[in-house]
């Protein structure tokens, strides 16, 4: 018995979302309708595909066996659609990018806006999450990560390195003890991640400074950034975010300098899709160009103010700390 693609499409959405509500949002269908369609598919196949519980829908052994065949049908439909349309000058359709919220807030909006402006028929969605985006469940079409994944059928491409430094507002620096070196940090109120919610070791910035206590913590980079703008404390900031907040300035710039990397992660099967390849190429070029522009602006500002830098927030002449 052959099932229709629409049946398999609904099956895949439930297997990835694990609830009828999540599948319904993806499919833009009422959850009750999704549930009826799943029940009908199970009846047609004569086998349960999911174990239902208050926690959601979990695949049965039969359902797990069906997944790769449904994904193959999904891939074949995408390839057929591209073959029928042929290659056009512009990109179209919907593409969703998952990213950690620092990148999602301070880099992706301007880069994706430029790509969308050049491709009026393209719909771009940015999924900003303080965790690793699950591509196997199709939470997104592609993702940006701070560590290169080593498992799964994924294609990983390094985008670029980026820098981070300690920063604080002028108001905070004016009313707190001077910062002459890394040792002075222990006398300051630190802003950072909630320790037990750091989802990637590359984000454990304060450990590199030998600091364990975070007075103001959030799993969101945006919340941390707003605390710093309000003068609530001192914390590690992406250099590319600093132009968004002229009131913040780097401190101990020479003594504390961190380097991390962004990676573009894609489904292995999507390498066959011209549309995804072209979007990925535009995204890589745009991110590299925008990050370089923003970091150059920070360097220019730092150079221009170096002559005015006093002991408060100075370069720090003690043993430097540099983490890569």
């Amino acid at each position: 018995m052959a099932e229709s693609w629409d049946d398999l499409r609904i099956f895949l959405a439930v297997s990835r979302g694990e609830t009828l509500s999540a599948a319904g949002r993806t499919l833009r269908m009422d959850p009750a309708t999704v549930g009826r369609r799943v029940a009908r598919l199970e009846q047609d196949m004569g086998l349960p595909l999911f174990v239902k519980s208050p926690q959601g829908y979990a695949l049965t052994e039969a359902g797990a066996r069906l997944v790769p065949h449904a994904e193959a049908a999904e891939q074949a439909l995408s390839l057929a659609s591209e073959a029928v349309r042929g290659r056009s000058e512009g990109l179209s359709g919907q593409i969703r990018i998952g990213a950690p919220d620092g990148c999602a807030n301070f880099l992706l909006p301007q880069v994706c806006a430029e790509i969308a402006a050049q491709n009026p028929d393209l719909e771009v969605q940015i999924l900003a999450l303080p965790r690793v985006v699950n591509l196997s469940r199709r939470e997104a079409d592609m993702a940006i990560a701070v560590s290169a994944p080593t498992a799964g059928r994924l294609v990983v491409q390094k985008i670029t390195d980026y820098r981070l430094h300690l920063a604080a507002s002028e108001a905070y620096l004016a009313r707190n003890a001077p910062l002459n070196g890394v040792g002075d940090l222990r006398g300051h109120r630190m802003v950072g991640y909630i320790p037990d919610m750091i989802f990637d070791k590359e984000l454990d910035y304060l450990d590199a400074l030998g600091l364990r206590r975070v007075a103001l913590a959030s799993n969101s980079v945006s919340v941390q950034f707003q605390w710093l703008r309000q003068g609530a404390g001192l914390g590690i900031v992406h250099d590319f975010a600093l132009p968004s907040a002229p009131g913040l300035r780097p401190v101990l710039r020479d003594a504390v300098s961190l380097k991390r990397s962004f990676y573009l992660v894609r489904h292995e099967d999507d390498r066959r899709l011209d549309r995804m390849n072209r979007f990925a190429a535009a995204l890589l070029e745009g991110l590299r160009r925008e990050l370089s522009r923003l970091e150059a602006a920070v360097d220019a500002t730092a150079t221009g103010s170096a002559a005015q830098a006093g002991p408060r927030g100075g370069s720090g002449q003690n043993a430097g700390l540099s983490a890569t």
Side-chain angles (χ1 to χ4, degrees):
M1 177 181 60
E3 314 312 325
S4 72
W5 161 243
D6 205 44
D7 291 332
L8 296 178
R9 179 175 71 96
I10 292 170
F11 165 75
L12 279 177
V14 176
S15 72
R16 291 164 178 166
E18 298 185 336
T19 66
L20 297 181
S21 297
R25 288 192 295 270
T26 300
L27 299 166
R28 298 181 182 178
M29 294 174 62
D30 180 80
T33 302
V34 175
R36 286 194 297 270
R37 294 290 297 274
V38 168
R40 188 178 75 183
L41 176 61
E42 290 180 321
Q43 183 177 8
D44 289 346
M45 299 194 75
L47 288 168
L49 301 174
F50 297 98
V51 176
K52 292 86 171 176
S53 74
Q55 287 70 45
Y57 277 48
L59 287 166
T60 62
E61 185 178 345
R65 288 197 301 268
L66 180 58
V67 167
H69 299 287
E71 289 181 335
E74 179 182 54
Q75 186 71 13
L77 187 67
S78 296
L79 288 169
S81 178
E82 283 203 351
V84 170
R85 289 198 309 264
R87 178 172 178 139
S88 62
E89 288 302 316
L91 293 167
S92 62
Q94 181 188 100
I95 296 179
R96 178 181 292 180
I97 312 161
D101 62 341
C103 178
N105 276 283
F106 300 109
L107 287 176
L108 279 179
Q110 51 269 43
V111 172
C112 290
E114 182 178 351
I115 295 173
Q118 296 168 358
N119 299 275
D121 295 326
L122 179 66
E123 179 184 339
V124 180
Q125 298 181 348
I126 297 174
L127 180 65
L129 292 175
R131 62 171 174 81
V132 176
V133 174
N134 192 326
L135 290 183
S136 65
R137 292 182 181 172
R138 291 284 175 171
E139 285 188 330
D141 296 297
M142 58 186 69
I144 294 169
V146 293
S147 288
T150 57
R153 297 179 64 251
L154 302 170
V155 177
V156 181
Q157 184 175 2
K158 183 175 178 178
I159 301 173
T160 187
D161 295 327
Y162 62 94
R163 305 184 315 235
L164 306 101
H165 288 91
L166 282 165
S169 70
E170 295 284 359
Y172 176 85
L173 294 171
R175 65 174 183 265
N176 285 278
L179 282 163
N180 296 313
V182 174
D184 295 332
L185 293 176
R186 289 176 176 79
H188 284 261
R189 189 166 60 247
M190 300 302 300
V191 173
Y193 282 101
I194 298 172
D196 61 355
M197 297 188 73
I198 295 176
F199 64 90
D200 192 297
K201 61 180 176 57
E202 298 295 338
L203 303 179
D204 193 2
Y205 307 135
L206 297 184
D207 186 59
L209 302 176
L211 300 174
R212 294 291 181 269
R213 182 177 177 274
V214 181
L216 296 170
S218 173
N219 66 333
S220 166
V221 167
S222 298
V223 173
Q224 296 174 34
F225 195 71
Q226 293 305 321
W227 265 330
L228 296 176
R229 292 187 67 182
Q230 295 300 317
L234 177 74
I236 296 288
V237 176
H238 304 81
D239 276 18
F240 59 72
L242 286 172
S244 300
L248 291 182
R249 70 177 177 92
V251 296
L252 300 177
R253 186 177 170 87
D254 296 335
V256 179
S257 180
L258 308 180
K259 183 175 75 173
R260 298 292 188 268
S261 303
F262 283 133
Y263 298 88
L264 182 64
V265 186
R266 300 174 57 194
H267 302 278
E268 184 178 354
D269 290 341
D270 286 354
R271 288 188 300 176
R272 301 167 63 190
L273 297 175
D274 177 70
R275 171 173 162 271
M276 289 296 184
N277 290 335
R278 292 163 61 200
F279 181 84
L283 186 67
L284 283 168
E285 179 184 355
L287 284 171
R288 289 167 178 162
R289 183 175 61 249
E290 181 65 4
L291 196 146
S292 178
R293 181 186 72 83
L294 292 171
E295 289 192 342
V298 173
D299 290 340
T301 300
T303 300
S305 60
Q308 304 174 18
R312 192 178 296 273
S315 62
Q317 297 304 313
N318 63 326
L321 183 152
S322 179
T324 60

